[in-house]
């Protein structure tokens, strides 16, 4: 192997320490900003980041939440007894509410999970370009195993209509994955120099506190036990701890660019002993199609991604700070692609 001197190792440790500290500080600022308003997102971007750091090499977008209201216990029991792995990987028994608006008047779950992230990327784009390294900076969107193409409806991407978007969490997490795909395509075709690249990573199934306001603490502990049972019965999707779940995002953060593909959804998986590894998967609904090297293939997912970026950009152009009655109109020449019917 290549010899690394003690000086180089010390320098690498110092860089990792600085990166970890900066990432932690940025993460704290992002958590404070995400759910409140677009104004607080600007405060995060301008005050907490651009005023303190001349450049950024990584932007890891990891906020997530929903208006969970409870659990359909009858369906949950049946799902666990009949198909444990599916029940604790892509559950259908969570109850959630759509239609809530943020302080700005936008879809609350959408703004928390996707909209504020996209705004943050736009505001920090110059900082990402300013990186002194030859390797482009990286924007890493956090996806989810629950992200489902059938839950995303372009005409209601803010998830304001309960009838159209009854599962806003799954819809907005799928939008995160589409955002990475469409954003990378947009940045790659930009005329600006040293643009960042965008990728998707997901942690697998982690025992987080996202349900802490819905179920009691002892049920959260029981949920974690069931996750372990799923792993011990050969589910590869249950790293369970946040540390293990971070393997995919860590890999995308540090891997040489020639090892990365922006069209891939990198996910954390693990073996029965809990040894974590990174699996290169695809977005839900992806179908391989011929394409030029580095270009997006012309398939349903890529069309949805490009259309969604246009919708986001239209919303940004309209201000994004003022309450709007709904989503921006799309010109008739740009009819949104329609996801395939659910089987």
């Amino acid at each position: 192997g290549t010899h690394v001197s003690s000086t180089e190792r010390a320098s690498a440790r110092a860089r990792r320490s600085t990166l970890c500290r900066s990432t932690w500080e940025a993460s704290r600022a992002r958590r404070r900003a995400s759910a409140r308003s677009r104004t607080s997102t600007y405060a995060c971007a301008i005050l907490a980041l651009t005023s303190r750091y001349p450049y950024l090499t990584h932007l890891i977008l990891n906020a997530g939440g929903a208006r969970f209201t409870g659990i359909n216990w009858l369906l949950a029991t049946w799902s666990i007894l009949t198909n444990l792995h599916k029940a604790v990987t892509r559950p259908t028994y969570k109850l959630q509410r759509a239609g809530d608006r943020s302080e700005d008047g936008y879809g609350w779950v959408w703004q928390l999970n996707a909209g504020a992230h996209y705004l943050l990327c736009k505001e920090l784009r110059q900082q990402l370009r300013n990186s002194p390294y030859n390797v482009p900076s990286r924007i890493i969107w956090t996806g989810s195993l629950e992200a489902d193409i059938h839950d995303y409806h372009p005409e209601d991407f803010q998830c304001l209509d309960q009838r159209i978007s009854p599962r806003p969490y799954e819809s907005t997490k799928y939008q995160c994955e589409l955002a990475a795909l469409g954003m990378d395509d947009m940045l790659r075709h930009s005329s600006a120099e040293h643009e960042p690249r965008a990728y998707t990573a997901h942690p697998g199934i982690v025992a987080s506190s996202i349900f802490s306001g819905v179920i009691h603490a002892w049920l959260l502990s029981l949920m974690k036990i069931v996750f372990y049972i799923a792993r011990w019965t050969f589910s590869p999707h249950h790293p369970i701890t946040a540390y293990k779940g971070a393997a995919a995002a860590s890999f995308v953060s540090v891997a040489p660019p020639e090892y990365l593909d922006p069209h891939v959804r990198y996910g954390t998986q693990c073996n029965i002993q809990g040894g974590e590894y990174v699996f290169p998967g695809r977005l839900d609904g992806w179908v391989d199609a011929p394409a030029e090297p580095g270009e997006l293939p012309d398939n349903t997912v890529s069309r949805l991604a490009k259309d969604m970026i246009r919708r986001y950009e239209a919303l940004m152009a309209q201000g994004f700070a003022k309450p709007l009655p709904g989503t921006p109109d799309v010109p008739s020449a740009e009819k949104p692609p329609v996801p395939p019917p659910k089987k």
Side-chain angles (χ1 to χ4, degrees):
T2 303
H3 174 72
V4 180
S5 69
S6 57
T7 302
E8 290 173 324
R9 283 196 295 269
S11 177
R13 283 196 298 271
R15 288 196 299 270
R16 283 198 300 270
S17 176
T18 301
L19 173 62
C20 289
R21 184 173 62 255
S22 301
T23 302
W24 177 77
E25 291 172 348
S27 175
R28 287 184 63 206
R30 179 68 186 90
R31 285 198 299 271
R32 290 195 299 270
S34 61
R36 291 202 296 268
S37 67
R38 182 172 181 257
T39 303
S40 57
T41 302
Y42 271 124
C44 168
I46 297 172
L47 300 179
L49 297 177
T50 58
S51 63
R52 299 185 64 181
Y53 306 108
Y55 65 88
L56 295 173
T57 58
H58 296 77
L59 188 59
I60 302 176
L61 306 168
N62 188 42
R67 293 297 194 189
F68 292 115
T69 59
I71 291 177
N72 183 331
W73 289 107
L74 183 61
L75 180 58
T77 302
W78 174 256
S79 300
I80 290 172
L81 291 176
T82 56
N83 192 332
L84 173 64
H85 288 183
K86 182 180 179 181
V88 296
T89 303
R90 302 189 74 171
T92 58
Y93 45 79
K94 296 181 299 181
L95 304 178
Q96 53 187 303
R97 186 174 71 238
D100 287 12
R101 292 179 181 264
S102 68
E103 293 178 7
D104 302 313
Y106 299 95
W108 183 85
V109 177
W110 172 79
Q111 185 163 325
L112 171 67
N113 292 343
H117 284 162
Y118 192 84
L119 175 61
L120 196 62
C121 290
K122 288 183 68 69
E123 293 304 311
L124 296 175
R125 188 168 170 180
Q126 188 58 52
Q127 300 299 108
L128 292 161
R129 289 174 182 153
N130 288 346
S131 170
Y133 302 104
N134 292 330
V135 176
S137 297
R138 299 176 187 183
I139 300 169
I140 303 171
W141 289 78
T142 302
S144 171
L145 283 172
E146 297 182 64
D148 192 319
I149 189 173
H150 301 100
D151 290 313
Y152 171 56
H153 305 282
E155 71 276 17
D156 185 40
F157 67 83
Q158 291 189 49
C159 302
L160 292 172
D161 192 328
Q162 180 77 41
R163 296 167 300 172
I164 298 175
S165 306
R167 285 156 52 94
Y169 177 77
E170 289 78 1
S171 173
T172 53
K173 293 309 290 184
Y174 192 71
Q175 289 183 52
C176 289
E177 299 182 354
L178 290 178
L181 202 63
M183 178 179 285
D184 186 78
D185 184 69
M186 178 182 67
L187 293 171
R188 197 162 38 81
H189 290 95
S190 169
S191 59
E193 294 184 358
H194 209 41
E195 290 280 26
R197 301 300 301 270
Y199 302 93
T200 301
H202 73 79
I205 302 300
V206 171
S208 70
S209 60
I210 195 170
F211 270 104
S212 59
V214 177
I215 61 178
H216 295 292
W218 69 270
L219 284 173
L220 290 174
S221 299
L222 180 61
M223 177 186 73
K224 190 172 183 179
I225 292 172
V226 174
F227 286 174
Y228 275 104
I229 293 173
R231 180 203 287 178
W232 296 333
T233 52
F234 303 103
S235 168
H237 302 300
H238 289 77
I240 301 175
T241 67
Y243 179 84
K244 292 180 182 294
S250 299
F251 171 78
V252 176
S253 295
V254 302
E258 60 268 22
Y259 284 84
L260 296 175
D261 182 351
H263 304 161
V264 165
R265 182 179 76 166
Y266 294 95
T268 300
Q269 295 190 357
C270 67
N271 57 31
I272 192 173
Q273 291 86 16
E276 68 273 16
Y277 58 92
V278 178
F279 179 80
R282 295 289 192 182
L283 274 69
D284 187 51
W286 181 275
V287 176
D288 287 328
E292 294 295 324
E295 295 291 332
L296 272 175
D298 184 20
N299 59 27
T300 299
V301 173
S302 66
R303 290 192 293 272
L304 283 172
K306 292 177 181 179
D307 173 78
M308 194 192 76
I309 293 297
R310 287 195 294 268
R311 289 172 178 270
Y312 278 24
E313 287 294 324
L315 192 63
M316 298 292 163
Q318 292 185 16
F320 190 28
K322 301 175 182 178
L324 298 176
T327 57
D329 293 330
V330 177
S332 57
E334 297 182 2
K335 294 182 179 180
V338 180
K342 194 166 186 175
K343 296 181 180 178

